[in-house]
């Protein structure tokens, strides 16, 4: 019998089930959980004191204006809203950054930070197919998948010291010194995901010097600007690296700081060596986008551009962002103090010093499972918790639940 002409496809459709996504898969499980007191500390979305992911005031206002004024749904250009690059660059690099005036910075709108990373990955594969992409240990669960999907090799550098709950400073810098020219190093611009541990100013300067000396390319994943210490403070690290004169990619996201998660809005920025080189890179970023999703969706970019261009809307946005940051900080304090007040032996005060949405709670995958099974508390199995999911209503139950599962393996 000749083989069925669809033999190949029949084999394909016998594929094993793909594993659930370690972060977004949790949201699915959380939704299915009927417990009324369940707590979601999984996916990195901001929640207010009522446990709601709000639409920011400035966003709502602009959406109302857009509804009245929008006159077409025709395609955007390949790189998105024309106004967005000139508004994004000062936000991520600083108003007075001389790099902008030198014409070496190019920016394209992208569908979220993830889209920006994928465009960059596809571009890098084309520009230097043999490059290895170096990723911190630990890192955001999707980094490896994105760059491998672009066909790139990935490798890991040391970053987090789980014993001291801080940066593994010497191992980190030694690792960066060993990375060869032509490779690419993914750095978290601020609010390291998942650990909440960022380099200090001196260490950022050292990173810049090492990048320049060794000849590797920094690629900043910049998804949480405004959630650490402030918009300006949070870009200081990447600006310090750029001061050393190295080219770099910056994949920024407006999902978190504008609360525009489901509108998929971010940007890919390249800081080049010269205006000519940046223009050539940009031409290839455009062909990469065209072959990928053609042009970005409009709504999120239109909102961000309106807010950043209008001083009243912008100041309201910055105020609301500051309130969100302060609320997360208050929850960090409340959580660490709540555990201490319950007499927990382990010192959890490190939670107060970590930046952004996440903390590495220092619990094992089995303890994470026990939190979910016994207490309906959902966290990533690495032990990452989204502090922004803690509220005044759930904080006591969360502290009690954590103490219960810590007793499974007391130290
Ligand atoms: C997270 O780390 O939880 C967020 O960046 C959401 C995501 O896509 O994983």
């Amino acid at each position: 019998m000749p083989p069925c002409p669809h033999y190949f496809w029949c084999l394909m459709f016998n594929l094993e089930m793909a594993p659930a996504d370690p972060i977004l898969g949790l949201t699915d499980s959380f939704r299915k959980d009927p417990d009324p007191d369940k707590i979601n500390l999984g996916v990195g979305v901001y929640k207010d004191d009522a446990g709601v992911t709000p639409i920011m005031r400035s966003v709502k206002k602009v959406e109302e204006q857009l509804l009245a004024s929008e006159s077409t749904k025709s395609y955007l250009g390949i790189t998105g809203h024309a106004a967005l690059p000139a508004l994004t660059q000062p936000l991520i690099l600083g108003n007075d950054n001389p790099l902008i005036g030198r014409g070496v910075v190019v920016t394209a709108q992208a569908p979220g930070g993830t889209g920006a990373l994928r465009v960059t990955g596809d571009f890098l594969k084309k520009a230097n197919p043999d490059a290895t992409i170096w990723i911190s240990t630990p890192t955001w669960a999707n980094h490896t998948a994105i760059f491998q999907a672009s066909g790139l090799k990935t490798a890991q550098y040391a970053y987090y010291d789980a014993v001291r709950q801080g940066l593994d400073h010497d191992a980190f810098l030694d690792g960066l010194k060993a990375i060869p020219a032509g490779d690419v190093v993914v750095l978290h611009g601020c609010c390291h995901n998942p650990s909440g541990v960022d380099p200090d100013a001196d260490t950022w300067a050292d990173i810049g010097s090492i990048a320049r000396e060794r000849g590797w390319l920094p690629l900043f994943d910049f998804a949480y600007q405004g959630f650490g210490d402030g918009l300006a403070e949070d870009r200081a690290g990447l600006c310090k690296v750029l001061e050393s004169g190295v080219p770099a990619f910056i994949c920024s996201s407006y999902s978190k700081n504008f609360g525009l998660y489901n509108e998929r809005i971010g940007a890919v920025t390249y800081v080049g060596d010269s205006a000519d080189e940046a223009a050539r890179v940009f031409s290839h970023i455009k062909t990469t986008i065209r072959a990928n999703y053609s042009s970005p969706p409009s709504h999120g970019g239109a909102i961000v551009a309106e807010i950043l261009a209008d001083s009243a809307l912008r100041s309201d946005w910055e105020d609301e962002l500051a309130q969100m940051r302060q609320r997360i900080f208050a929850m960090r304090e409340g959580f660490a103090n709540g555990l201490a007040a319950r007499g927990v032996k382990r010192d959890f005060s490190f939670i107060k010093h970590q930046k952004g949405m996440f903390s590495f709670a220092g619990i094992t995958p089995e303890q994470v499972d026990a939190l979910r099974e016994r207490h309906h508390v959902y966290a990533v199995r690495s032990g990452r918790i989204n502090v922004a999911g803690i509220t005044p209503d759930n904080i006591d139950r969360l502290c009690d639940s954590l103490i219960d599962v810590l007793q499974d393996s007391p130290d």
Side-chain angles (χ1 to χ4, degrees):
M1 272 269 285
C4 157
H6 291 108
Y7 176 72
F8 174 75
W9 285 107
C10 297
L11 279 183
M12 290 277 285
F13 295 142
N14 275 334
L15 285 168
E16 300 269 310
M17 283 288 281
D21 184 84
I23 297 175
L24 300 186
L26 268 181
T27 308
D28 293 338
S29 312
F30 178 79
R31 284 198 185 114
K32 286 183 197 142
D33 186 336
D35 188 277
D37 294 324
K38 61 190 177 179
I39 302 174
N40 190 0
L41 307 182
V43 66
V45 295
Y46 176 79
K47 293 195 184 131
D48 62 18
D49 272 352
V52 171
T53 302
I55 300 176
M56 294 177 84
R57 294 184 298 262
S58 51
V59 168
K60 199 72 189 159
K61 203 163 184 179
V62 169
E63 285 193 303
E64 282 159 15
Q65 290 166 9
L66 283 175
L67 191 62
S69 66
E70 203 176 38
S71 58
T72 181
K73 295 285 185 190
S74 185
Y75 294 122
L76 292 182
I78 292 174
T79 56
H81 282 278
L84 205 63
L87 294 161
T88 295
Q89 291 168 10
L91 182 71
I92 61 174
L93 297 173
N95 279 332
D96 306 327
N97 197 312
L99 290 166
I100 299 173
R102 281 180 47 212
V104 298
V105 187
V106 288
T107 299
Q109 184 178 330
T114 303
L117 287 163
R118 181 60 195 266
V119 167
T120 305
D122 288 357
F123 165 80
L124 292 169
K125 177 68 184 171
K126 189 172 171 187
N128 183 5
D130 295 329
T132 295
I133 311 294
W134 291 81
I135 291 165
S136 64
T137 312
T139 195
W140 179 44
N142 211 16
H143 273 150
T144 308
I146 290 171
F147 293 113
Q148 289 185 356
S150 289
L152 290 156
K153 293 186 292 286
T154 57
Q156 291 183 301
Y157 61 83
Y159 187 82
Y160 181 70
D161 178 342
V163 176
R164 290 185 308 108
Q165 287 102 15
L167 184 68
D168 197 352
H169 181 270
D170 293 353
F172 171 47
L173 293 188
D174 287 348
L176 295 186
K177 285 177 195 157
I179 293 174
D183 279 359
V184 179
V185 177
V186 178
L187 298 159
H188 299 222
C190 67
C191 308
H192 183 267
N193 178 3
S195 71
V197 170
D198 290 335
D200 62 17
D202 289 344
T203 309
W204 279 118
D206 290 341
I207 296 168
S209 307
I210 297 168
R212 194 188 55 234
E213 278 156 28
R214 296 297 304 164
W216 46 255
L217 181 77
L219 190 175
F220 292 96
D221 183 344
F222 200 30
Y224 293 90
Q225 186 181 10
F227 280 90
D229 293 315
L231 289 167
E233 294 84 347
D234 291 353
R235 66 177 168 245
L238 70 84
C239 288
K240 191 47 98 189
V241 173
L242 294 173
E243 274 172 27
S244 70
V246 289
F249 273 95
I250 304 166
C251 297
S252 57
S253 172
Y254 288 119
S255 299
K256 327 278 173 174
N257 51 18
F258 279 80
L260 286 167
Y261 306 90
N262 68 11
E263 299 298 351
R264 309 312 297 137
I265 170 67
V268 50
T269 294
Y270 177 65
V271 181
D273 203 32
S274 65
D276 170 64
E277 184 242 8
R280 281 183 287 113
V281 168
F282 200 52
S283 71
H284 287 280
I285 290 176
K286 280 194 206 168
T287 58
T288 304
I289 292 173
R290 176 66 173 141
N292 194 325
Y293 49 87
S294 189
S295 62
S298 172
H299 192 62
I303 295 167
V304 171
E306 289 289 332
I307 294 173
L308 290 180
D310 180 296
S311 56
L313 287 167
R314 186 180 181 128
S315 131
D316 186 47
W317 165 65
E318 288 190 19
D319 286 350
E320 196 171 357
L321 180 58
Q323 284 160 17
M324 291 156 81
R325 180 170 65 243
Q326 283 149 15
R327 197 195 87 74
I328 295 176
F329 183 69
M331 290 300 110
R332 284 188 179 282
E333 286 218 313
F335 187 36
N337 295 345
L339 291 169
R342 283 164 174 79
V344 70
K345 273 200 250 135
R346 199 188 295 177
D347 179 10
F348 279 98
S349 60
F350 64 86
I351 291 174
K352 295 188 213 177
H353 311 302
Q354 296 170 335
K355 305 278 182 197
M357 280 194 191
F358 304 118
S359 252
F360 236 12
I363 52 175
T364 63
E366 293 71 29
Q367 287 168 330
V368 172
D369 292 344
L371 268 179
R372 189 182 61 253
E373 284 156 16
R374 300 214 289 262
H375 301 285
H376 307 270
V377 175
Y378 289 72
V380 181
R381 277 193 103 228
S382 63
R384 185 193 87 169
I385 60 165
N386 174 19
V387 184
I390 307 178
T391 68
D393 280 349
N394 68 25
I395 194 163
D396 284 332
R397 207 163 65 73
L398 177 64
C399 290
D400 293 339
S401 306
L402 185 59
I403 285 176
D404 175 57
V405 302
L406 286 173
Q407 279 157 11
D408 291 351
S409 52
D411 52 15

